Amino acid sequence: MNHHYESCLVSRLSRFVCLTEQEREFVAEMEKDERAQGKGGTIIRVGDQTEGINILKTGWAVVKADSSDGRSQILRIYLPGEVIGLAEIGSSHANHRVVMQTDGVVCPFPRSGLAPLFSDFPRLGALLTAIGSLDQIALRHHASSLASMDATRKLKFWLLQLRSRLEVSNVGLGNRFQVPFSQVEIGQAVGLTSIYINKLLRSFAAAGEIEIERPYMRLRDRAKWERECEFVNPFVDMDTSWFPPAQKVVLSDSTRQAMQD
């Protein structure tokens, strides 16, 4: 089974710990059921029964909140190698809509199949829990930026955070990265109109602070932006000291069945 060595999820997890062969095999099982999704395709609808999680193997997805007047807000962006639905695993029904932002591949994995994370792969379970906590911290930073920053810094902070998260996923290294969003969609993510987003991006480019080559952007003075926004990257500060040690596991028949269901 060599295909899982190219897995974005394995790549993301491996930034924090060196995965064992068995841990990699378990991740490969999580990604076994591949389903192609087109841009704009719905992964989860509001009210859907939450039967498990989805691994975003390739492509980007977003969580959207829709108001009764037809407006949408982008609450979260999912990148390649991230797990959709892990934070909602305790809820019986979905509260928000999740749609594909680009073409991609999604791998659904049943809730019952997660049991081995706690019984047979506790270190892997701890790692996913820790990554989920860092994601929550990043979301809090984003929420704080929306509440406390002016429009210029809101957009700068959003781009800085997107760059840092792409780096964790090993799909966007350096200061040039993909931003597959229209100006309307960027506005939905930072609470500004598309007209304002256009004005800000033009001003950044005119000042030599960014280069825009759709769908890519390059931050020309990231350190300056980070100082201006007091930017904190939570993904460089994971505490792995409490993780249980990796174990050599002899999988029971029930565990193998749960992984395959």
Side-chain angles (χ1 to χ4, degrees):
M1 297 177 65
N2 293 324
H3 65 280
H4 62 278
Y5 287 103
E6 299 178 358
S7 158
C8 284
L9 178 55
V10 166
S11 179
R12 188 169 194 251
L13 298 177
S14 297
R15 286 184 67 89
F16 304 105
V17 301
C18 182
L19 298 180
T20 67
E21 179 63 21
Q22 287 181 308
E23 288 169 335
R24 289 171 177 261
E25 293 287 349
F26 183 79
V27 172
E29 287 294 328
M30 295 175 72
E31 296 182 315
K32 185 169 62 175
D33 184 11
E34 297 185 0
R35 300 183 185 180
Q37 294 279 353
K39 177 180 179 180
T42 300
I43 303 172
I44 299 172
R45 295 176 174 81
V46 176
D48 280 356
Q49 186 172 353
T50 53
E51 299 178 344
I53 60 174
N54 289 276
I55 311 299
L56 188 59
K57 191 159 190 176
T58 65
W60 297 39
V62 294
V63 180
K64 287 197 171 186
D66 303 308
S67 61
S68 57
D69 60 5
R71 291 182 297 176
S72 292
Q73 181 182 9
I74 293 177
L75 302 179
R76 167 159 188 176
I77 300 167
Y78 284 106
L79 303 173
E82 294 190 340
V83 181
I84 299 171
L86 199 58
E88 294 80 18
I89 199 67
S91 176
S92 60
H93 291 83
N95 293 288
H96 296 100
R97 184 164 60 104
V98 182
V99 299
M100 292 297 296
Q101 184 65 23
T102 68
D103 293 344
V105 174
V106 173
C107 305
F109 191 70
R111 181 178 287 166
S112 60
L114 295 173
L117 281 175
F118 305 97
S119 59
D120 298 316
F121 302 98
R123 189 180 71 147
L124 192 56
L127 177 56
L128 286 171
T129 299
I131 288 178
S133 75
L134 297 185
D135 286 336
Q136 291 303 309
I137 292 171
L139 287 171
R140 291 176 192 172
H141 287 324
H142 174 59
S144 177
S145 76
L146 296 182
S148 63
M149 293 182 181
D150 60 25
T152 299
R153 289 190 298 155
K154 282 180 184 178
L155 182 53
K156 288 181 177 181
F157 187 93
W158 185 78
L159 289 169
L160 288 169
Q161 191 173 79
L162 182 59
R163 189 215 69 84
S164 69
R165 292 182 57 219
L166 283 165
E167 188 171 40
V168 173
S169 296
N170 279 340
V171 292
L173 305 179
N175 292 323
R176 183 177 183 271
F177 53 97
Q178 188 177 11
V179 186
F181 295 87
S182 69
Q183 292 180 358
V184 170
E185 291 166 335
I186 294 174
Q188 291 174 350
V190 298
L192 299 171
T193 66
S194 59
I195 295 174
Y196 210 156
I197 295 296
N198 180 273
K199 177 183 175 181
L200 289 173
L201 289 175
R202 286 178 178 271
S203 68
F204 296 165
E209 295 180 314
I210 63 172
E211 292 177 0
I212 301 175
E213 300 174 350
R214 294 288 187 186
Y216 290 90
M217 294 189 187
R218 183 192 302 276
L219 307 186
R220 294 180 59 87
D221 197 346
R222 175 161 57 94
K224 177 176 176 287
W225 279 23
E226 289 177 345
R227 290 193 300 271
E228 287 179 6
C229 299
E230 298 180 343
F231 180 74
V232 176
N233 182 359
F235 298 103
V236 299
D237 190 31
M238 178 183 284
D239 177 15
T240 62
S241 64
W242 59 276
F243 286 11
Q247 300 176 2
K248 186 172 179 60
V249 180
V250 178
L251 297 180
S252 65
D253 290 340
S254 60
T255 294
R256 291 188 181 278
Q257 185 63 44
M259 290 168 62
Q260 296 169 2
D261 286 342

